[in-house]
Structures are given as structure tokens and as C-alpha cells.
Amino acid sequence: MQEKFDQLKQMAKDELLSVFSTKNLFELKTKYVGKNGEITALLRGMKDVPASERANFGKMVNDLKVEVSEMFNQKEIELKEKELAEKFESESVDVTLPGKINKNGSLHPLNLVKNKILDAFCGMGFEVFEGPEIDTDYYCFQALNIPKDHPARDMQDTFYITDNVLLRPHTSPGQVRTMEKKAPPIKILSPGRVYRADDDASHSPMFHQIEGLVVDKGVSLCDLKGLLDEFVRIMFDEDTKTRFRPSYFPFTEPSVEVDVTCCKCHGKGCSLCKGTGWIEILGAGVVNKKVLEMSGIDSNVYSGLAFGMGIERITMIKYGISDIRTLFENNVKFLKQFNRR
Ligand code: PHE
């Protein structure tokens, strides 16, 4: 009998040697000490043991069971430790590895500047109205008091599609389209692409403008000055000054051109401002009464102011860009420099 027990113990010991996971261990445990296990089966054979030996037999089986279970428990502790160590190893993070860099895109400098201009004026109560890029002679010229023989109408300056339909050469038709649709008070910005037959380091056949229009009772050149002074402070910096020079546009009377102190030399004179200390940024004026009347607004009751600026020009001044063409080449190395600025 003892021999059989020893054999069983040895078998369990041997089998235990080839167990490498808690799952296999569990199976082995069931095989020996489970409900239908080999050692449990010994107890069931108790009935065949003579009564006088039963007590001893029972004790021996129990001892065996305790011993074998002890072996299994010991193995279980070892395996659990090993499996936990493996889990930690496989889930560990090497904090010395270089991080992954997410390359974020960035806005094109023209969009950065456009957004900044829109933000500045929207903060002063302006709304945005976008007009069509292909427009008629009426909206681009006639309704803006640009006479038939005006040089802007020349084929050399303007891209005509037919005699009457053209690529808008400025965003000023946005003024007319707004005044036709909306009764005063009006306070709008009209951004968008414009087209002119011009191509060199400071002119592109396609570029962007933003038009501004205010129509209300008692609007004057003073309001224009206040508005634009505030705008340049937001766009450039607090110390930037403006200068209004008399000019001429058929749709404004009086008309002005607005200069700002050079943002590079702050008015001392440098190559950017060609030694003058000033840089021109936009055209503006008090809306010509004829233009108000043509769009159905009573010029005895209402007056208006308008301004128009080139986004490329402002961008070039702000970032010191000397050739307009770099803004359209889509050279990533160039564009990356404007990231988050
Ligand atoms: N439309 C003019 C231009 O393209 C700019 C301008 C707009 C001037 C509004 C006065 C008023 O040059």
C-alpha cells in the first residue's frame, strides 16, 4: 500500500516538472486532488479495506493528500510570481524612447492675417458679407461711380469674360451689393479674392482684399480715423501711428490713403519703408453721395465711410516679406515659419 502511495506521489512530482502555467497546474490539481481525482478515488476504496486497517488507511490517504496539495500550492505561488513578472515586463514602457511628434498643420499666413483683420473689426461690431468673384460691369464700376473712360476699366488692368462680365478687380462691389440688400445702419466687411492683370514682385494677378463699409446717420471722416487707428493698433502694435493723405477714388469723397509708421524701424526710416518711416496700407474715404443714391440710400439722411486693403500687402509688411510670389508657391519650409504666430 505504502508503495502505491509513494508511486502516486512520485508521479505527481514528475508531472509537476512539466507544468509551466497556472492553467496547467489547475488541470493537474484536478487530476490528483479534485472531486474525481486519483487521491480522492483512494478514499472511495475505503470500503474494501478491512475495518481494522481503515483508520490507518484513512490517515495515510489524508497525509498523502496534504503532501501533494502542499506541492501544488508551492508550485502555484512560484508560477503566479513568474506570470506577474512576465506581465509587468510585457506591459512596461520605455520612458527613455524619443516621443512621437504629431506634426500639426498651420494656417497659411494670408489666412492668419485675414482672420486677424476680421477679428479686429468684428470686435468693433462688423459683420462679414462675401460677394461673388465673377461680377458685372455695373457692380464693379458703374454703381461705384467709375466712369466709362476710367483707366481701371482698361483691358490691361481688368480680366473681362464678356463685355459686361468680369473677374472683380476689387472687393468694392461688396459695398453696393450690401447697400442694395440691407437698410442702414450697415457695418460690414467683405473679404475675398480679386483679380488684376499685373504680375511682379509686389503684384499678383490674383490677390485678396478686405472691404469695409459703414453707413449710418452722422458718419464722418472722424469715425474713419478712429476706426482705422484702433485697427492698426490691433494689427501691428500699440505704438503704430497712422497718417491720412488726400487721394482720389471715384466712389469716396473725400478720399484718403492711409499710411502707418514702419513696423520695422518704427518711423526712423529703413529699407522696408524706403527711408520714409511710413508705409501705405489702404485706401479709404467718405462714401460718395452718388454711390449711396445709386444703391437707394437717401444721402440727405445717411452718410458712410469705406475702406479697402490688400491682405497680401498687410502680410508682407507685418512679416517683412519682400516678394508677393512666395505667398503662392506653397513652399512648406516658408509656410512653416508662420506656425502659431
Ligand atoms: N477699391 C479700392 C482699391 O482697390 C480701395 C478702396 C476701397 C478705396 C474703399 C476707398 C474705399 O484700390
Side-chain angles (χ1 to χ4, degrees), residues 101-151:
I101 296 168
N102 283 331
K103 285 187 189 149
N104 286 339
S106 59
L107 286 180
H108 190 282
L110 290 176
N111 279 329
L112 277 178
V113 170
K114 175 182 130 182
N115 289 350
K116 192 149 183 165
I117 299 171
L118 295 184
D119 271 0
F121 285 105
C122 288
M124 295 188 255
F126 282 72
E127 287 174 297
V128 174
F129 167 83
E130 285 181 61
E133 283 174 38
I134 299 174
D135 216 335
T136 59
D137 183 275
Y138 176 78
Y139 285 107
C140 292
F141 297 129
Q142 287 171 53
L144 288 163
N145 190 38
I146 300 177
K148 274 268 181 249
D149 52 359
H150 193 279

Side-chain angles (χ1 to χ4, degrees), residues 252-297:
T252 46
E253 181 57 38
S255 301
V256 291
E257 269 169 324
V258 179
D259 301 338
V260 291
T261 41
C262 176
C263 55
K264 194 169 163 199
C265 65
H266 300 282
K268 289 188 197 79
C270 69
S271 58
L272 184 67
C273 57
K274 300 192 180 79
T276 63
W278 295 94
I279 296 181
E280 186 205 321
I281 56 158
L282 56 83
V286 172
V287 180
N288 193 317
K289 282 179 179 246
K290 281 192 203 163
V291 172
L292 291 177
E293 292 293 337
M294 272 190 277
S295 294
I297 290 177

Side-chain angles (χ1 to χ4, degrees), residues 213-231:
L213 173 73
V214 178
V215 182
D216 205 346
K217 289 178 182 155
V219 172
S220 74
L221 201 64
C222 288
D223 298 304
L224 180 70
K225 184 154 184 355
L227 209 65
L228 295 179
D229 280 352
E230 181 61 14
F231 163 66

Side-chain angles (χ1 to χ4, degrees), residues 5 8-9 11-13 15-16 24-44 60-74 76:
F5 281 19
L8 252 178
K9 205 166 98 185
M11 252 170 65
K13 234 184 197 163
E15 281 199 78
L16 212 49
N24 290 349
L25 180 69
F26 181 74
E27 285 163 10
L28 200 63
K29 227 171 155 177
T30 318
K31 183 175 163 193
Y32 285 94
V33 293
K35 234 183 4 193
N36 299 314
E38 308 227 5
I39 297 176
T40 323
L42 289 176
L43 282 174
R44 264 187 236 120
M60 279 170 71
V61 177
N62 264 332
D63 287 350
L64 178 67
K65 194 172 177 178
V66 169
E67 244 183 289
V68 173
S69 298
E70 189 53 39
M71 267 163 40
F72 288 143
N73 290 345
Q74 191 53 42
E76 190 172 345

Side-chain angles (χ1 to χ4, degrees), residues 81-329:
E81 264 175 25
K82 190 179 119 237
E83 283 174 359
L84 196 64
E86 279 169 6
K87 188 169 181 264
F88 283 160
E89 177 68 22
S90 70
E91 289 176 0
S92 70
V93 177
D94 182 353
V95 290
T96 64
L97 281 175
K100 283 186 194 150
I101 296 168
N102 283 331
K103 285 187 189 149
N104 286 339
S106 59
L107 286 180
H108 190 282
L110 290 176
N111 279 329
L112 277 178
V113 170
K114 175 182 130 182
N115 289 350
K116 192 149 183 165
I117 299 171
L118 295 184
D119 271 0
F121 285 105
C122 288
M124 295 188 255
F126 282 72
E127 287 174 297
V128 174
F129 167 83
E130 285 181 61
E133 283 174 38
I134 299 174
D135 216 335
T136 59
D137 183 275
Y138 176 78
Y139 285 107
C140 292
F141 297 129
Q142 287 171 53
L144 288 163
N145 190 38
I146 300 177
K148 274 268 181 249
D149 52 359
H150 193 279
R153 288 190 170 211
D154 200 318
M155 291 288 278
Q156 258 116 42
D157 291 318
T158 305
F159 293 110
Y160 281 88
I161 293 167
T162 67
D163 280 352
N164 191 37
V165 179
L166 51 136
L167 298 181
R168 65 178 176 192
H170 53 180
T171 41
S172 298
Q175 292 185 30
V176 182
R177 288 183 174 275
T178 306
M179 287 190 285
E180 280 184 356
K181 280 206 190 81
K182 200 174 162 351
I186 292 171
K187 221 173 174 185
I188 61 107
L189 286 178
S190 190
R193 291 190 194 95
V194 298
Y195 302 85
R196 286 183 202 173
D198 234 346
D199 197 3
D200 59 36
S202 44
H203 298 90
S204 161
M206 184 284 300
F207 63 106
H208 301 77
Q209 282 190 333
I210 294 189
E211 191 83 7
L213 173 73
V214 178
V215 182
D216 205 346
K217 289 178 182 155
V219 172
S220 74
L221 201 64
C222 288
D223 298 304
L224 180 70
K225 184 154 184 355
L227 209 65
L228 295 179
D229 280 352
E230 181 61 14
F231 163 66
V232 299
R233 272 196 290 272
I234 298 172
M235 194 65 218
F236 300 104
D237 62 42
E238 278 292 321
D239 304 326
T240 309
K241 295 190 175 50
T242 55
R243 177 172 84 173
F244 286 56
R245 278 182 293 107
S247 184
Y248 172 76
F249 298 102
F251 35 94
T252 46
E253 181 57 38
S255 301
V256 291
E257 269 169 324
V258 179
D259 301 338
V260 291
T261 41
C262 176
C263 55
K264 194 169 163 199
C265 65
H266 300 282
K268 289 188 197 79
C270 69
S271 58
L272 184 67
C273 57
K274 300 192 180 79
T276 63
W278 295 94
I279 296 181
E280 186 205 321
I281 56 158
L282 56 83
V286 172
V287 180
N288 193 317
K289 282 179 179 246
K290 281 192 203 163
V291 172
L292 291 177
E293 292 293 337
M294 272 190 277
S295 294
I297 290 177
D298 187 345
S299 63
N300 293 318
V301 180
Y302 294 104
S303 55
L305 57 88
F307 54 89
M309 67 186 99
I311 302 178
E312 279 75 1
R313 190 167 172 76
I314 307 273
T315 307
M316 289 166 77
I317 296 168
K318 191 168 166 65
Y319 295 117
I321 298 167
S322 53
D323 191 330
I324 195 170
R325 288 167 289 210
T326 51
L327 290 169
F328 302 114
E329 280 164 357

